[in-house]
Amino acid sequence: MLTFIGNRIAQGKFDLLLALGSAFAGAISGISISYFIGLKLGYPALIKYGRKFHITADRIEKTQRKFDRYGNALLVFSYFIPGLRHLIAITAGISNMNYRKFALFSYLGALAWCAFFIMVGRSFGEKWHKIKAYILLFHAYFPQLLLILLIVFLICVLYFSKFRRKSD
């Protein structure tokens, strides 16, 4: 959607600053809600229901240590991985990360994400019809590609879980 908005900016139909500000406001609203969900509900819910999902106290502790080490960078770069941005924000809330620190890194990531996709769309300008042609071309192959990615993902999960069981 942001690339399309960028295209409309290139055509002079939208204002760049207004579009960027609106996208940024939406992004930080969503990420902040995820943070507060993690802060208020996360840890007690993990303790209460975690065992049903094989989430043990040991796994929570390991995740906590990794988040303490890499959390700042994850908050910035997770914006570019759909779905992960909200999981990282929930993890930040569960970790009781200082809100100012959370806001600094996650909002920086939100701004970079919004600006990147708007500027990509803006740079396409009148070439937008070429993008549409590629989407239509690859749309037919999307289910097969998704199935292949799912199979590769499952193979990786099985391989690494087997590797981890051997090291334990």
Side-chain angles (χ1 to χ4, degrees):
M1 185 65 155
L2 291 178
T3 54
F4 179 70
I5 290 170
N7 175 262
R8 303 303 277 183
I9 291 168
Q11 295 173 358
K13 297 184 180 183
F14 289 163
D15 179 69
L16 174 62
L17 291 178
L18 186 59
L20 183 60
S22 298
F24 180 66
I28 65 172
S29 297
I31 202 75
S32 296
I33 289 169
S34 295
Y35 170 83
F36 286 112
I37 287 171
L39 185 66
K40 300 297 181 189
L41 303 175
Y43 192 75
L46 279 178
I47 297 301
K48 187 173 182 178
Y49 302 109
R51 293 205 184 277
K52 294 179 183 179
F53 301 101
H54 304 288
I55 300 173
T56 62
D58 185 48
R59 284 188 176 178
I60 293 171
E61 185 180 319
K62 284 180 185 178
T63 303
Q64 181 69 43
R65 282 195 308 266
K66 286 183 181 180
F67 186 79
D68 289 343
R69 187 171 181 186
Y70 303 110
N72 299 342
L74 284 172
L75 283 168
V76 174
F77 295 110
S78 68
Y79 255 91
F80 293 88
I81 304 168
L84 184 61
R85 71 185 72 120
H86 293 287
L87 291 175
I88 295 299
I90 289 170
T91 305
I94 291 170
S95 300
N96 208 15
M97 180 182 223
N98 178 287
Y99 182 75
R100 287 183 180 172
K101 185 177 178 183
F102 165 79
L104 173 68
F105 291 103
S106 65
Y107 292 6
L108 179 65
L111 183 61
W113 179 73
C114 293
F116 175 79
F117 284 105
I118 287 174
M119 297 313 285
V120 165
R122 186 173 176 223
S123 70
F124 288 142
E126 295 301 318
K127 301 174 201 153
W128 191 257
H129 64 281
K130 290 182 181 180
I131 308 281
K132 184 179 176 184
Y134 282 115
I135 289 171
L136 291 174
L137 176 67
F138 291 108
H139 177 52
Y141 299 107
F142 184 73
Q144 294 90 340
L145 179 62
L146 191 60
L147 180 62
I148 290 169
L149 289 174
L150 180 64
I151 291 170
V152 168
F153 174 76
L154 289 174
I155 290 170
C156 289
V157 167
L158 291 173
Y159 175 77
F160 287 113
S161 66
K162 184 178 178 181
F163 178 74
R164 188 171 57 195
R165 272 188 258 131
K166 284 184 181 179
S167 67
D168 289 342

